[in-house]
Amino acid sequence: MPPAIPTATYRLQLTKDFDFDAAALIAPYLRALGISHVYASPFMKARAGSTHGYDVVDHTELNPELGGDAGFERFSAALKRNDLGLILDFVPNHVGVHYADNPWWLDVLEWGQASPHAVSFDIDWETLPYRARGGLLLPIIGSSYGQALENGEIELKYDASEGSFSAWYYEHRLPIAPERYSEMLHAIVKEAGAGDTAAGRAILTLAGKHKGLRHPNRNEAPAFKKQLAAIEGAAPVIARGLDAYRAAPDRPAQIQALHMLLERQHYKLGQWRLASSEINYRRFFDVNTLAGLRVEDSDTFEAIHTQVKRLIAEGKLQGLRLDHIDGLRDPSQYFQRLRRLIREAQGKVKPFYLVVEKILGKDEKLVPFAGVHGTTGYEWLNAITQVLADDEGLKPLGETWRQVSNTSPTFEPLLVEAKRRVLNTLLLSEFTVLTRLLARIANGHYSTRDFSADTLRQAFELYVLHFPVYRTYLTAAGPSPLDRALISNTIDKARAEWFGTDEGLFDFLRDALTLDLLKPGRPTHSKLRVRRFAFKVQQFTGPTMAKSLEDTAFYRYHKLLAFNEVGGEPAAGAMPVQRFHKLMIQRVNEFPHGMTSTATHDTKRGEDARARLLALAELPGEWATAASRWKVLNAPHIIVDGEMRSPSFAFEYMLYQALIGAWPLDEHDHTFLERMQAYALKAAREGKEETSWLNPHAAYEQGLQDFLARILDPLASREFIDQIDAFARRTALIGALNSLSQITLKATIPGMPDFYQGTEFFDTSLVDPDNRRPVDFAGRVAILEKTRTPDWEALSEIWSNGHIKFAWTRELLKLRGELADVFTDGDYDPLDVTGPHAAHIIAFARRHQRDAAIVIVGRTLADFTDGGRKWLDGSKLDATVHAPGYDVTGITVSKYLQYLPAAIIKTKAAPKRIRSTRLQ
């Protein structure tokens, strides 16, 4: 049986081209590599062709594109044969909507608030402007609604097998409310001239049985549809009669008829751009095709977890990774319910591994949710990056960036401006819903009704702009002391920027956010509205921060791209080794079993691209000179049109970093230009400066494509290519050493290491979807056999093929298996390092009872590689690691770091338990 706490996980991205059967085939390879659990991307039924699985359309069904139930059974059996556990990436927060594949969503479109699934979606039914009845805005039209209507792009169709009507806008199905069927059928029979036919009379008779605006109702509709489908000859009559609603440029009466029919539905069609200002359902960030689920509703919770519960009960699922918990209304409630579900499924209390996707801000700690072992590890990814960085080199890089961008190196103002941009565009709809709700709360009592809607909006905007983390975690009982302090501190910052009269405005806002408005003895405000506001704000600040920080500011600030990582700080300095040790001791005491990741499907670049970029901080002067030289060389390739420069100065500098990180050492990589062009387009649009997703600047974007095509053309830019190739090979060598240090830390610090698919070799991929390219597992299986007894000297001579990383990964996983207790439940003991090169070494011990391992990791090693021109010469490292209380003491670093930048020494600890308290 696999261990309850994984030894190591391996992330697999399942798609129709890499399905359950394909995953089953590599189970023996993963076991031989030293993996204990497969960590699979979502495999509930997703949108057809999904490359990631997060657009689930039916939680109650396994994805048929992956092989469905039968394919999963074969996959599960293969895992069991190889003693591998399974962890599922589960999506409780949202589902894929629009199109024609989500049964819950289609039912809501057909029945509106009468649908039993309406409660599962977070819809503000009464907020659509200029509409007498509640409705759901569907921003799916590519042009204007009127233009699409007049051009006949919206078509009414009849499904003869179901006896149902739907409007279709290309691939989007829009069910017609059955309460409109009777009036439609009268118009259809009349248009078809079939009133005197048997089929026509039967249709009219059926239509006449259900008169009134609410018939057939939900109970009557199934029988009505069945009877309509059973009428002999009805289908051809209806097909002809639908001409009454067949809009076209020369058919004004039909345009009006179709429009009037659509206006009487439970939805309102609109242009896609309306989503930024008028959408009235909660989305996943700003993605219109992903609608938020109200998993706090108990029936919704039970329904979406049916397959999870079954798989746990059958012993086929040993863990869950919960996606985007910050989107949940009340995560604490969710995890309490989930723990009960797991216990019910298991039949008795047994260990079950739970981690959450949660991005923590600086100095923020994870809330201890019921049963949760920790996060998916973004905070540790960034801690590893920062402790391996050269702080002395970061300072000149900051100055280079200041000169290139002509802006202050301070990051906070840039983030605030990015938030303001997001609030005014991408998330304006959600922001507007909240400000309207806040205004209704204020207007609900005479003591606060003088706060105008506009004033409340401005005050709330300042609050969001200065909110420093992703969200708070209020429960029905109110905020924790930490959350209360966080809200109050943010209110103080917002108030400090307020130039109008206050008169209790910010006190009111604070009391609404903390639920203090509902305390006994306070003026009576609507309990329902106050609770809704406070909880919805928590669901709003997370997407706001994500879109502002990760998807805007990260693409504007380019001091060192290695730091522009999910959960990271672009303006951060290097982390002192002592600070790193302190964090590890805290982790042992708090969440010792959370994941440690160095690459995920969401990271902004591959783990080895990041490791290469760290080399720039070790060669800051040479980098600045090289970038300046390339700017001159490539000046003829810049696209200038009036005031437009493509790329901009700052973006050009970013591109050179991106090229260094991803530069192929194999000259036969014919996909590189195309990949870089796709990355540049995404980066430019995410940055929202010269162009954006909402308002693309075609000339600027074409300029980016042309610039990259020219500078990567061997005929047009031979000198540049030769220069960047030479420099990239040096950073790649230093980066390879950083990479080996990186995975050593990942595998040995407190926590459970996760390996993203394919990263056994050097991974220099760019942001998604580049990091979801197919993995050559057959090639990896072949290398596995060749590296069973690695020759580190020989591997170091051919380091660029990645085999040295592969072999070291396997050695690390082998060691974790041999010392499972040490690395899973062991203490963390920082070790002192002395000598001239002590600053280049991180050393610590992991111990469990008497079993122990001493870990030595090199950092900032460029000086020992002749600036990246030759592999590490460890003999020059003059440092000694001191390990009192262990069987080895006075460890000479040069003895162990000959060909690798890291070493692990198995040893024994003294019988007496020794815990370091130096850093506590």
Side-chain angles (χ1 to χ4, degrees), residues 550-551 554-555 564-566 602-606 679 766-767:
E550 302 166 40
D551 294 343
F554 278 5
Y555 291 95
N564 292 24
E565 197 49 85
V566 180
D602 279 333
T603 43
K604 300 301 183 183
R605 52 193 39 82
Y679 170 77
L766 299 157
V767 72

Side-chain angles (χ1 to χ4, degrees), residues 179-468:
E179 61 196 40
R180 298 294 170 185
Y181 278 20
S182 292
E183 65 183 70
M184 288 171 58
L185 289 172
H186 279 94
I188 285 169
V189 171
K190 180 179 179 181
E191 177 71 20
D196 293 331
T197 67
R201 288 193 297 270
I203 292 172
L204 293 175
T205 299
L206 178 61
K209 291 181 179 179
H210 296 285
K211 297 180 180 179
L213 293 179
R214 295 293 178 263
H215 297 282
N217 59 33
R218 188 169 182 87
N219 293 328
E220 300 162 343
F224 185 98
K225 292 178 182 179
K226 185 175 181 180
Q227 292 171 37
L228 180 60
I231 295 174
E232 187 174 351
V237 169
I238 294 173
R240 294 196 310 273
L242 284 175
D243 275 351
Y245 298 96
R246 188 158 290 117
D250 58 346
R251 296 168 64 88
Q254 288 80 4
I255 290 173
Q256 185 65 19
L258 181 57
H259 169 61
M260 294 303 293
L261 177 64
L262 292 173
E263 284 293 277
R264 288 169 171 78
Q265 302 308 308
H266 299 290
Y267 49 81
K268 176 183 177 180
L269 299 183
Q271 186 185 39
W272 66 274
R273 293 180 186 274
L274 282 175
S276 64
S277 59
E278 299 294 342
I279 206 163
N280 63 333
Y281 60 91
R282 182 170 60 85
R283 301 170 290 175
F284 173 74
F285 295 166
D286 61 334
V287 183
N288 299 339
T289 56
L290 296 177
L293 282 175
R294 293 188 64 251
V295 73
E296 64 270 18
D297 173 70
S298 58
D299 289 339
T300 302
F301 176 90
E302 292 294 335
I304 70 171
H305 289 85
T306 53
Q307 286 288 354
V308 165
K309 189 173 184 178
R310 176 181 71 85
L311 295 179
I312 294 173
E314 294 175 357
K316 296 169 182 174
L317 192 61
Q318 286 73 42
L320 287 171
R321 177 263 198 193
L322 283 305
D323 180 63
H324 189 51
I325 64 157
D326 280 352
L328 304 179
R329 182 180 187 270
D330 187 348
S332 294
Q333 177 203 61
Y334 173 81
F335 285 108
Q336 290 167 359
R337 286 178 172 174
L338 184 61
R339 184 166 64 173
R340 286 198 297 269
L341 180 144
I342 293 168
R343 288 176 174 174
E344 290 172 5
Q346 292 176 330
K348 58 181 179 179
V349 178
K350 294 191 299 183
F352 189 85
Y353 189 63
L354 280 181
V355 288
V356 297
E357 185 204 25
K358 167 62 188 170
I359 298 168
L360 297 169
K362 185 178 180 180
D363 299 325
E364 183 184 10
K365 292 186 177 182
L366 178 66
V367 175
F369 299 118
V372 171
H373 291 88
T375 71
T376 52
Y378 288 117
E379 66 271 37
W380 311 119
L381 178 160
N382 287 287
I384 290 172
T385 298
Q386 290 176 28
V387 80
L388 293 178
D390 187 336
D391 197 48
E392 289 301 312
L394 287 174
K395 296 172 184 176
L397 286 182
E399 176 60 21
T400 300
W401 167 242
R402 186 192 67 78
Q403 294 177 9
V404 168
S405 64
N406 195 31
T407 60
S408 167
T410 305
F411 183 69
E412 184 64 27
L414 188 148
L415 177 58
V416 170
E417 182 55 37
K419 279 190 176 183
R420 185 173 281 112
R421 177 71 175 271
V422 166
L423 288 180
N424 291 330
T425 54
L426 300 179
L427 299 179
L428 178 60
S429 293
E430 288 82 353
F431 182 61
T432 299
V433 166
L434 286 168
T435 55
R436 288 174 178 168
L437 181 55
L438 183 62
R440 292 185 73 182
I441 293 170
N443 199 51
H445 193 270
Y446 63 82
S447 64
T448 53
R449 76 173 192 175
D450 284 342
F451 296 139
S452 70
D454 187 59
T455 301
L456 288 167
R457 183 186 186 91
Q458 294 178 53
F460 181 50
E461 180 178 7
L462 284 174
Y463 175 84
V464 175
L465 291 178
H466 289 287
F467 192 72

